[in-house]
Amino acid sequence: MRNRQFKGALRATYWLLSCSLSVALVPAARAQTVPNVFQPAFHQALDVSVSTATRTTYRTKIPVGRGGGRLRISFKAGDGSLTLHAATVALAGSRGQLASSPIPLTFSGSPVATLAPRARITSDPISLAVSISTELYVSFDVDGAMAASYINAFPDSYAFAGSVAGLQAPSGGAPFMRAAAVDTIDVEGPRTKAIVAIGDSITEGYISGNWGNYVNANDDYRNAWPAIAQGLTGLPIVNAGVAGQGVFGAASSLDAEVLTLQGITDCVVLIGTNDLGANTADRIEAGLEALFARLRSFCGIWVGTLLPKENPVDAPYATVVARRIAVNDWIRHQAQVKGVIDFEPVVALPGDINRFGPGLGQDGIHPTIAGQRLLGQEAARVLAVLEPVADLQGPQIETIQPASGSSAGGTTVQISGANFVPGSTLTIGGVAAASVTVTTSGSLTATTGPHPSGAVDIVVTGPDGLSARLATGFTYTDQASPDPAQATPTLSPAGTGGCNGSGSPASLLFVVPFLGFALLRSVSASRRRARALTS
C-alpha cells in the first residue's frame, strides 16, 4: 500500500514539475512576424479605353506615395486585347528623359505579355529604392487597347512611335498626359496604413482641363485632394476616382477599380454629387449603405460630405439643394462608418452652405486648385489619427480546439485569437489547412491536412503578409481524434486547464520544490517507521 502511495505521489510530483518546466520554457504563444509587405504607392482608376493600332511606347511620369526597396507594376487592358512587348521603369528626369538606367519588367519571367479585354497583369518584383517624393517614368511598348482615365492629369508624359522603352532619351515624343495601361504601383516596405479614395471627377482631380487626348489645358494628379492629403500625412492615399460616376457606378466598378488593391486598410468615399439630379435622397443613402456593406470586409470606411453644387444640369436647383442637404445630414448622423470628413464647410461660402467660397469653386461643381488643397488639408486633419502604426496588429493566436487530431488529417479545428481577416491562410505543421473560414475577427475554423504524428506549430497568415505562430500548438496522433466530451485535459499554452491553469509559470515553479520537499519528508518518515517496526 505504501509503495502504491509513494509511486502515485512521485508520479504527481513528476507531472507538476514537467508541466512547470514546459510552461516556463515554451516561448510566448503570441509570437508574431511583421515582414515588409507590398502596398499601393500609386493607383489610378482606368474606366475607359484608348487604342493604338501600331506599336507605340508610352512614357508616363508617375509620383509614388510610399517608400521601399522593391516595386511591382500592374497593367490593365482596355475594351480589346493588349500586347505588352516591353516595359521598363526608371527614376524620372524631365521631357521624357530618364534619370537612371531603365529596369526591364517581366511577367512570370517573360518580358512580353498579352492581356485579354479588361484583364490585369502584375509584373515580377524589381529592386528600386523609392520614397514618398519619388517620381518614376514607366515606359511601355504596346499595341492594342489600353484601359485609361478620362482626364489629362499626368504632365510631362509622352508617346513615341515604335519601341523605345529601353532608351534613356528618345526623341520625337508627343505629349500624352492621360493615365493609360498603368493601373497600380505597389512598393514593398514597412507596413503602414494605406488608403484608397473612391469618388468621381472631384476626387480624380478634374478642375479645368479638357477631356480625352487634348493637351492644351490639363490637370495634375498631384493637385487632387488625395495627393494633397498624402503629402501632409505621409501615408499612401491612392486615387480610385472616376470622372462622371455616381454611387451606383462606383458599386458596379468596385471589383475592377478598388478591390484589386492589396494592403489597403482604409477607404475614403466622396461620392453622390452626380446622383442628385436623378435620385431621391433616400435612394442615394441606400446606395451608399450598400456600397459601405461591400467595403466593410475590405477597409475601414471614412465618408465625406458632398460639396456645394451651384450648377445642376439635370434637375431644378431647389431639388438638388434639398437632396444634398438631406444626404449630408444622413452622412453626419446615421452612416455606419469609421468616421466623417466634413468637406462641405471647408469650401462653402460662410453663411451659405450651397455656394462655394471666393476662389474655391471652378464651375459651380468642381473645386479650384485652392479648393482641392483645402479638401486635402481637411482629409489629412481627420485622418491624422491613422498616422501611428502601433495599432497595425497582425493576427494573434490564443487557443486551438481540439489540440490534437489524427495524422490522417480531416480534424475540424477552431482557432481563437484576434485580428483574423477574410483571406487568411492557416498551416499546421507546414501543411495548408483546408476550408479556412474566418467567422469573426477572433475566431476561425479549418480542417487539418495529413501529417506525420508529433507536436507541430500553427501559423495564421493574413492577406497583408502579417502572421502569428503558436509553437507546438497542435499534436498529430496515429489514432483518430478523441471525443471532446471524453478527452483528457491537454496542455494548451493559452487555455484554462491542464498545466496552464490559473497559475503562472513562476507560481508553479515556486510551489513544485515545496511539494517535492514534502514528498521526501513523507518518504523518509515512512522508512523510519518501517525500521522501528522491524527492530
Short mmCIF file of all heavy atoms in Angstrom, two decimals, residues 472-529:
data_model
loop_
_atom_site.label_atom_id
_atom_site.label_comp_id
_atom_site.label_asym_id
_atom_site.label_seq_id
_atom_site.Cartn_x
_atom_site.Cartn_y
_atom_site.Cartn_z
N THR A 472 4.31 24.49 -31.25
CA THR A 472 3.84 23.16 -30.82
C THR A 472 2.41 23.20 -30.30
O THR A 472 2.09 22.61 -29.27
CB THR A 472 4.79 22.54 -29.77
OG1 THR A 472 4.81 23.38 -28.61
CG2 THR A 472 6.20 22.41 -30.32
N GLY A 473 1.56 23.91 -31.01
CA GLY A 473 0.20 24.10 -30.52
C GLY A 473 -0.74 22.96 -30.85
O GLY A 473 -1.82 22.85 -30.27
N PHE A 474 -0.34 22.10 -31.80
CA PHE A 474 -1.22 21.00 -32.21
C PHE A 474 -0.40 19.72 -32.29
O PHE A 474 0.77 19.75 -32.68
CB PHE A 474 -1.85 21.31 -33.57
CG PHE A 474 -2.90 20.32 -34.01
CD1 PHE A 474 -4.20 20.41 -33.55
CD2 PHE A 474 -2.57 19.29 -34.89
CE1 PHE A 474 -5.17 19.50 -33.95
CE2 PHE A 474 -3.53 18.37 -35.29
CZ PHE A 474 -4.84 18.48 -34.83
N THR A 475 -1.01 18.61 -31.90
CA THR A 475 -0.33 17.32 -31.93
C THR A 475 -1.06 16.37 -32.84
O THR A 475 -2.26 16.10 -32.65
CB THR A 475 -0.23 16.72 -30.52
OG1 THR A 475 0.49 17.62 -29.67
CG2 THR A 475 0.50 15.38 -30.56
N TYR A 476 -0.34 15.88 -33.85
CA TYR A 476 -0.88 14.82 -34.70
C TYR A 476 -0.66 13.48 -34.01
O TYR A 476 0.43 13.21 -33.49
CB TYR A 476 -0.19 14.82 -36.06
CG TYR A 476 -0.61 15.92 -36.99
CD1 TYR A 476 0.16 17.07 -37.14
CD2 TYR A 476 -1.79 15.81 -37.73
CE1 TYR A 476 -0.22 18.08 -38.01
CE2 TYR A 476 -2.18 16.82 -38.61
CZ TYR A 476 -1.39 17.95 -38.74
OH TYR A 476 -1.78 18.94 -39.60
N THR A 477 -1.66 12.63 -34.01
CA THR A 477 -1.57 11.31 -33.40
C THR A 477 -1.89 10.25 -34.45
O THR A 477 -2.54 10.52 -35.46
CB THR A 477 -2.54 11.17 -32.22
OG1 THR A 477 -3.89 11.28 -32.72
CG2 THR A 477 -2.30 12.27 -31.19
N ASP A 478 -1.45 9.03 -34.15
CA ASP A 478 -1.74 7.93 -35.07
C ASP A 478 -3.18 7.45 -34.96
O ASP A 478 -3.70 6.80 -35.85
CB ASP A 478 -0.80 6.74 -34.80
CG ASP A 478 0.63 7.06 -35.21
OD1 ASP A 478 0.80 7.86 -36.15
OD2 ASP A 478 1.55 6.53 -34.59
N GLN A 479 -3.82 7.79 -33.83
CA GLN A 479 -5.20 7.41 -33.64
C GLN A 479 -6.12 8.54 -34.08
O GLN A 479 -5.71 9.68 -34.24
CB GLN A 479 -5.49 7.06 -32.16
CG GLN A 479 -4.83 5.78 -31.69
CD GLN A 479 -3.36 5.97 -31.41
OE1 GLN A 479 -2.95 7.05 -31.01
NE2 GLN A 479 -2.58 4.93 -31.65
N ALA A 480 -7.40 8.21 -34.24
CA ALA A 480 -8.41 9.22 -34.57
C ALA A 480 -8.53 10.20 -33.42
O ALA A 480 -8.22 9.89 -32.26
CB ALA A 480 -9.75 8.55 -34.85
N SER A 481 -9.02 11.37 -33.70
CA SER A 481 -9.20 12.40 -32.68
C SER A 481 -10.15 11.90 -31.61
O SER A 481 -11.19 11.32 -31.91
CB SER A 481 -9.75 13.68 -33.30
OG SER A 481 -8.85 14.17 -34.26
N PRO A 482 -9.85 12.09 -30.30
CA PRO A 482 -10.74 11.63 -29.24
C PRO A 482 -12.01 12.45 -29.19
O PRO A 482 -12.08 13.56 -29.68
CB PRO A 482 -9.89 11.85 -27.97
CG PRO A 482 -8.97 12.99 -28.35
CD PRO A 482 -8.66 12.78 -29.80
N ASP A 483 -13.03 11.83 -28.62
CA ASP A 483 -14.28 12.54 -28.39
C ASP A 483 -14.03 13.65 -27.39
O ASP A 483 -13.55 13.40 -26.28
CB ASP A 483 -15.32 11.55 -27.84
CG ASP A 483 -16.68 12.20 -27.60
OD1 ASP A 483 -16.76 13.44 -27.69
OD2 ASP A 483 -17.64 11.47 -27.31
N PRO A 484 -14.30 14.92 -27.79
CA PRO A 484 -14.01 16.03 -26.86
C PRO A 484 -14.65 15.85 -25.50
O PRO A 484 -14.11 16.27 -24.48
CB PRO A 484 -14.57 17.25 -27.60
CG PRO A 484 -14.57 16.85 -29.04
CD PRO A 484 -14.85 15.39 -29.06
N ALA A 485 -15.82 15.18 -25.44
CA ALA A 485 -16.52 15.02 -24.16
C ALA A 485 -15.78 14.06 -23.24
O ALA A 485 -15.91 14.11 -22.02
CB ALA A 485 -17.95 14.52 -24.40
N GLN A 486 -14.98 13.12 -23.86
CA GLN A 486 -14.26 12.13 -23.06
C GLN A 486 -12.78 12.43 -22.97
O GLN A 486 -12.03 11.69 -22.36
CB GLN A 486 -14.45 10.74 -23.70
CG GLN A 486 -15.90 10.33 -23.88
CD GLN A 486 -16.62 10.20 -22.56
OE1 GLN A 486 -16.03 9.80 -21.57
NE2 GLN A 486 -17.91 10.57 -22.53
N ALA A 487 -12.37 13.49 -23.61
CA ALA A 487 -10.94 13.76 -23.73
C ALA A 487 -10.33 14.14 -22.39
O ALA A 487 -10.96 14.80 -21.56
CB ALA A 487 -10.69 14.87 -24.73
N THR A 488 -9.08 13.70 -22.19
CA THR A 488 -8.32 14.10 -21.01
C THR A 488 -7.79 15.51 -21.25
O THR A 488 -7.36 15.82 -22.36
CB THR A 488 -7.15 13.13 -20.79
OG1 THR A 488 -7.67 11.82 -20.64
CG2 THR A 488 -6.33 13.53 -19.56
N PRO A 489 -7.83 16.39 -20.26
CA PRO A 489 -7.32 17.76 -20.46
C PRO A 489 -5.90 17.73 -21.02
O PRO A 489 -5.07 16.93 -20.60
CB PRO A 489 -7.35 18.37 -19.04
CG PRO A 489 -8.42 17.58 -18.33
CD PRO A 489 -8.35 16.19 -18.89
N THR A 490 -5.65 18.59 -22.02
CA THR A 490 -4.34 18.65 -22.65
C THR A 490 -3.70 20.00 -22.41
O THR A 490 -4.38 20.98 -22.14
CB THR A 490 -4.47 18.41 -24.16
OG1 THR A 490 -5.35 19.40 -24.70
CG2 THR A 490 -5.01 17.03 -24.47
N LEU A 491 -2.40 20.02 -22.54
CA LEU A 491 -1.65 21.26 -22.37
C LEU A 491 -1.93 22.20 -23.52
O LEU A 491 -1.74 21.83 -24.67
CB LEU A 491 -0.16 20.96 -22.28
CG LEU A 491 0.78 22.16 -22.20
CD1 LEU A 491 0.51 22.94 -20.92
CD2 LEU A 491 2.22 21.71 -22.25
N SER A 492 -2.39 23.40 -23.24
CA SER A 492 -2.65 24.41 -24.27
C SER A 492 -2.07 25.71 -23.78
O SER A 492 -2.44 26.19 -22.71
CB SER A 492 -4.15 24.56 -24.52
OG SER A 492 -4.39 25.55 -25.46
N PRO A 493 -1.15 26.30 -24.51
CA PRO A 493 -0.42 27.47 -24.00
C PRO A 493 -1.27 28.60 -23.51
O PRO A 493 -0.82 29.39 -22.72
CB PRO A 493 0.43 27.90 -25.20
CG PRO A 493 0.63 26.65 -25.98
CD PRO A 493 -0.64 25.88 -25.81
N ALA A 494 -2.50 28.75 -23.98
CA ALA A 494 -3.31 29.87 -23.52
C ALA A 494 -4.65 29.39 -23.00
O ALA A 494 -5.60 30.14 -22.94
CB ALA A 494 -3.52 30.86 -24.65
N GLY A 495 -4.76 28.10 -22.62
CA GLY A 495 -6.04 27.58 -22.14
C GLY A 495 -6.23 27.84 -20.67
O GLY A 495 -5.48 28.54 -20.02
N THR A 496 -7.26 27.17 -20.09
CA THR A 496 -7.58 27.39 -18.68
C THR A 496 -7.42 26.13 -17.87
O THR A 496 -7.65 26.14 -16.67
CB THR A 496 -9.01 27.89 -18.54
OG1 THR A 496 -9.89 26.94 -19.15
CG2 THR A 496 -9.18 29.24 -19.23
N GLY A 497 -7.09 25.00 -18.52
CA GLY A 497 -6.96 23.75 -17.79
C GLY A 497 -5.59 23.17 -17.97
O GLY A 497 -4.69 23.76 -18.55
N GLY A 498 -5.42 21.90 -17.50
CA GLY A 498 -4.15 21.22 -17.67
C GLY A 498 -3.04 21.97 -16.97
O GLY A 498 -3.20 22.56 -15.92
N CYS A 499 -1.88 21.89 -17.58
CA CYS A 499 -0.71 22.54 -16.99
C CYS A 499 -0.89 24.04 -16.94
O CYS A 499 -0.30 24.71 -16.11
CB CYS A 499 0.53 22.23 -17.81
SG CYS A 499 1.04 20.50 -17.69
N ASN A 500 -1.61 24.59 -17.87
CA ASN A 500 -1.69 26.04 -18.00
C ASN A 500 -2.99 26.56 -17.40
O ASN A 500 -3.77 27.22 -18.02
CB ASN A 500 -1.59 26.46 -19.46
CG ASN A 500 -1.18 27.91 -19.58
OD1 ASN A 500 -0.36 28.36 -18.81
ND2 ASN A 500 -1.73 28.61 -20.55
N GLY A 501 -3.22 26.20 -16.14
CA GLY A 501 -4.42 26.67 -15.48
C GLY A 501 -4.26 28.08 -15.01
O GLY A 501 -3.59 28.88 -15.61
N SER A 502 -4.89 28.41 -13.87
CA SER A 502 -4.87 29.80 -13.43
C SER A 502 -3.52 30.23 -12.92
O SER A 502 -3.22 31.41 -12.86
CB SER A 502 -5.93 30.00 -12.34
OG SER A 502 -5.66 29.13 -11.25
N GLY A 503 -2.65 29.28 -12.53
CA GLY A 503 -1.34 29.66 -12.04
C GLY A 503 -0.40 30.04 -13.15
O GLY A 503 -0.47 29.54 -14.25
N SER A 504 0.56 30.91 -12.87
CA SER A 504 1.56 31.32 -13.85
C SER A 504 2.74 30.37 -13.75
O SER A 504 2.91 29.65 -12.76
CB SER A 504 2.02 32.74 -13.56
OG SER A 504 2.69 32.77 -12.32
N PRO A 505 3.61 30.34 -14.76
CA PRO A 505 4.81 29.51 -14.68
C PRO A 505 5.63 29.79 -13.44
O PRO A 505 6.13 28.88 -12.81
CB PRO A 505 5.58 29.85 -15.95
CG PRO A 505 4.51 30.29 -16.91
CD PRO A 505 3.48 30.97 -16.05
N ALA A 506 5.75 31.06 -13.06
CA ALA A 506 6.54 31.41 -11.88
C ALA A 506 5.95 30.79 -10.63
O ALA A 506 6.66 30.27 -9.77
CB ALA A 506 6.63 32.93 -11.75
N SER A 507 4.60 30.83 -10.49
CA SER A 507 3.98 30.31 -9.28
C SER A 507 4.13 28.80 -9.22
O SER A 507 4.33 28.23 -8.15
CB SER A 507 2.50 30.70 -9.23
OG SER A 507 1.80 30.11 -10.29
N LEU A 508 4.06 28.11 -10.36
CA LEU A 508 4.23 26.67 -10.37
C LEU A 508 5.65 26.29 -9.98
O LEU A 508 5.86 25.37 -9.19
CB LEU A 508 3.89 26.11 -11.76
CG LEU A 508 2.39 26.04 -12.10
CD1 LEU A 508 2.22 25.66 -13.57
CD2 LEU A 508 1.67 25.02 -11.22
N LEU A 509 6.60 27.00 -10.52
CA LEU A 509 7.99 26.70 -10.18
C LEU A 509 8.26 26.98 -8.70
O LEU A 509 9.15 26.39 -8.10
CB LEU A 509 8.92 27.51 -11.06
CG LEU A 509 8.99 27.05 -12.52
CD1 LEU A 509 9.84 28.04 -13.32
CD2 LEU A 509 9.56 25.66 -12.65
N PHE A 510 7.50 27.88 -8.11
CA PHE A 510 7.66 28.18 -6.70
C PHE A 510 7.06 27.06 -5.84
O PHE A 510 7.62 26.66 -4.83
CB PHE A 510 6.98 29.50 -6.38
CG PHE A 510 7.04 29.89 -4.91
CD1 PHE A 510 8.22 30.39 -4.37
CD2 PHE A 510 5.94 29.74 -4.09
CE1 PHE A 510 8.28 30.73 -3.04
CE2 PHE A 510 6.00 30.10 -2.76
CZ PHE A 510 7.18 30.59 -2.23
N VAL A 511 5.93 26.51 -6.28
CA VAL A 511 5.21 25.51 -5.48
C VAL A 511 5.86 24.14 -5.59
O VAL A 511 5.98 23.41 -4.61
CB VAL A 511 3.74 25.44 -5.93
CG1 VAL A 511 3.04 24.24 -5.29
CG2 VAL A 511 3.01 26.72 -5.57
N VAL A 512 6.32 23.77 -6.80
CA VAL A 512 6.79 22.40 -7.02
C VAL A 512 7.93 22.00 -6.09
O VAL A 512 7.92 20.91 -5.53
CB VAL A 512 7.19 22.20 -8.50
CG1 VAL A 512 7.97 20.92 -8.68
CG2 VAL A 512 5.93 22.17 -9.34
N PRO A 513 8.96 22.84 -5.84
CA PRO A 513 10.03 22.41 -4.92
C PRO A 513 9.51 22.07 -3.54
O PRO A 513 10.00 21.14 -2.90
CB PRO A 513 10.98 23.62 -4.89
CG PRO A 513 10.75 24.29 -6.20
CD PRO A 513 9.29 24.12 -6.46
N PHE A 514 8.50 22.81 -3.06
CA PHE A 514 7.96 22.52 -1.73
C PHE A 514 7.17 21.22 -1.74
O PHE A 514 7.17 20.47 -0.76
CB PHE A 514 7.10 23.68 -1.26
CG PHE A 514 7.90 24.88 -0.86
CD1 PHE A 514 8.15 25.87 -1.77
CD2 PHE A 514 8.48 24.98 0.41
CE1 PHE A 514 8.92 26.96 -1.43
CE2 PHE A 514 9.24 26.08 0.75
CZ PHE A 514 9.47 27.08 -0.16
N LEU A 515 6.46 20.94 -2.86
CA LEU A 515 5.79 19.65 -2.95
C LEU A 515 6.80 18.52 -2.93
O LEU A 515 6.60 17.48 -2.27
CB LEU A 515 4.96 19.59 -4.23
CG LEU A 515 3.72 20.50 -4.28
CD1 LEU A 515 3.09 20.43 -5.67
CD2 LEU A 515 2.72 20.07 -3.22
N GLY A 516 7.91 18.70 -3.68
CA GLY A 516 8.95 17.68 -3.68
C GLY A 516 9.55 17.50 -2.29
O GLY A 516 9.80 16.37 -1.85
N PHE A 517 9.79 18.62 -1.59
CA PHE A 517 10.36 18.55 -0.24
C PHE A 517 9.41 17.81 0.70
O PHE A 517 9.82 16.96 1.48
CB PHE A 517 10.63 19.96 0.26
CG PHE A 517 11.18 20.00 1.68
CD1 PHE A 517 12.46 19.57 1.95
CD2 PHE A 517 10.38 20.46 2.71
CE1 PHE A 517 12.95 19.62 3.24
CE2 PHE A 517 10.86 20.50 4.00
CZ PHE A 517 12.15 20.08 4.28
N ALA A 518 8.10 18.12 0.58
CA ALA A 518 7.11 17.44 1.43
C ALA A 518 7.08 15.96 1.12
O ALA A 518 6.94 15.11 2.02
CB ALA A 518 5.73 18.06 1.22
N LEU A 519 7.18 15.60 -0.14
CA LEU A 519 7.16 14.19 -0.52
C LEU A 519 8.37 13.47 0.07
O LEU A 519 8.24 12.36 0.62
CB LEU A 519 7.17 14.07 -2.04
CG LEU A 519 7.25 12.65 -2.60
CD1 LEU A 519 6.02 11.84 -2.20
CD2 LEU A 519 7.39 12.67 -4.11
N LEU A 520 9.53 14.07 -0.04
CA LEU A 520 10.73 13.44 0.51
C LEU A 520 10.62 13.24 2.02
O LEU A 520 11.03 12.22 2.57
CB LEU A 520 11.96 14.28 0.16
CG LEU A 520 12.35 14.28 -1.33
CD1 LEU A 520 13.51 15.26 -1.55
CD2 LEU A 520 12.74 12.88 -1.78
N ARG A 521 10.06 14.26 2.72
CA ARG A 521 9.87 14.12 4.17
C ARG A 521 8.94 12.97 4.46
O ARG A 521 9.15 12.19 5.38
CB ARG A 521 9.32 15.41 4.75
CG ARG A 521 10.34 16.54 4.80
CD ARG A 521 9.85 17.68 5.66
NE ARG A 521 9.63 17.23 7.05
CZ ARG A 521 9.08 17.99 8.00
NH1 ARG A 521 8.70 19.21 7.73
NH2 ARG A 521 8.93 17.54 9.22
N SER A 522 7.88 12.85 3.66
CA SER A 522 6.92 11.77 3.88
C SER A 522 7.56 10.42 3.66
O SER A 522 7.36 9.47 4.43
CB SER A 522 5.72 11.94 2.94
OG SER A 522 4.84 10.86 3.07
N VAL A 523 8.38 10.31 2.61
CA VAL A 523 9.05 9.05 2.33
C VAL A 523 10.02 8.70 3.44
O VAL A 523 10.08 7.56 3.90
CB VAL A 523 9.77 9.14 0.97
CG1 VAL A 523 10.66 7.92 0.75
CG2 VAL A 523 8.75 9.24 -0.16
N SER A 524 10.77 9.71 3.92
CA SER A 524 11.74 9.45 5.00
C SER A 524 11.04 8.99 6.25
O SER A 524 11.48 8.06 6.94
CB SER A 524 12.55 10.72 5.27
OG SER A 524 13.28 11.08 4.12
N ALA A 525 9.89 9.64 6.58
CA ALA A 525 9.14 9.26 7.78
C ALA A 525 8.64 7.83 7.66
O ALA A 525 8.66 7.05 8.62
CB ALA A 525 7.99 10.22 8.01
N SER A 526 8.16 7.45 6.47
CA SER A 526 7.67 6.08 6.28
C SER A 526 8.77 5.07 6.48
O SER A 526 8.57 4.00 7.08
CB SER A 526 7.08 5.94 4.87
OG SER A 526 5.97 6.80 4.74
N ARG A 527 9.95 5.37 5.99
CA ARG A 527 11.06 4.44 6.14
C ARG A 527 11.49 4.30 7.60
O ARG A 527 11.84 3.23 8.07
CB ARG A 527 12.25 4.91 5.28
CG ARG A 527 11.99 4.70 3.77
CD ARG A 527 13.11 5.26 2.95
NE ARG A 527 12.89 4.96 1.53
CZ ARG A 527 13.64 5.45 0.56
NH1 ARG A 527 14.65 6.28 0.84
NH2 ARG A 527 13.38 5.12 -0.70
N ARG A 528 11.45 5.42 8.38
CA ARG A 528 11.81 5.36 9.79
C ARG A 528 10.82 4.48 10.55
O ARG A 528 11.19 3.68 11.39
CB ARG A 528 11.85 6.77 10.39
CG ARG A 528 13.10 7.56 9.99
CD ARG A 528 13.30 8.78 10.90
NE ARG A 528 12.17 9.67 10.85
CZ ARG A 528 12.06 10.65 9.96
NH1 ARG A 528 13.02 10.86 9.07
NH2 ARG A 528 11.00 11.44 9.98
N ARG A 529 9.51 4.65 10.21
CA ARG A 529 8.50 3.82 10.88
C ARG A 529 8.69 2.35 10.53
O ARG A 529 8.55 1.47 11.38
CB ARG A 529 7.11 4.29 10.49
CG ARG A 529 6.70 5.60 11.14
CD ARG A 529 5.20 5.82 11.01
NE ARG A 529 4.80 5.96 9.62
CZ ARG A 529 4.77 7.14 8.99
NH1 ARG A 529 5.12 8.24 9.62
NH2 ARG A 529 4.41 7.19 7.72
#
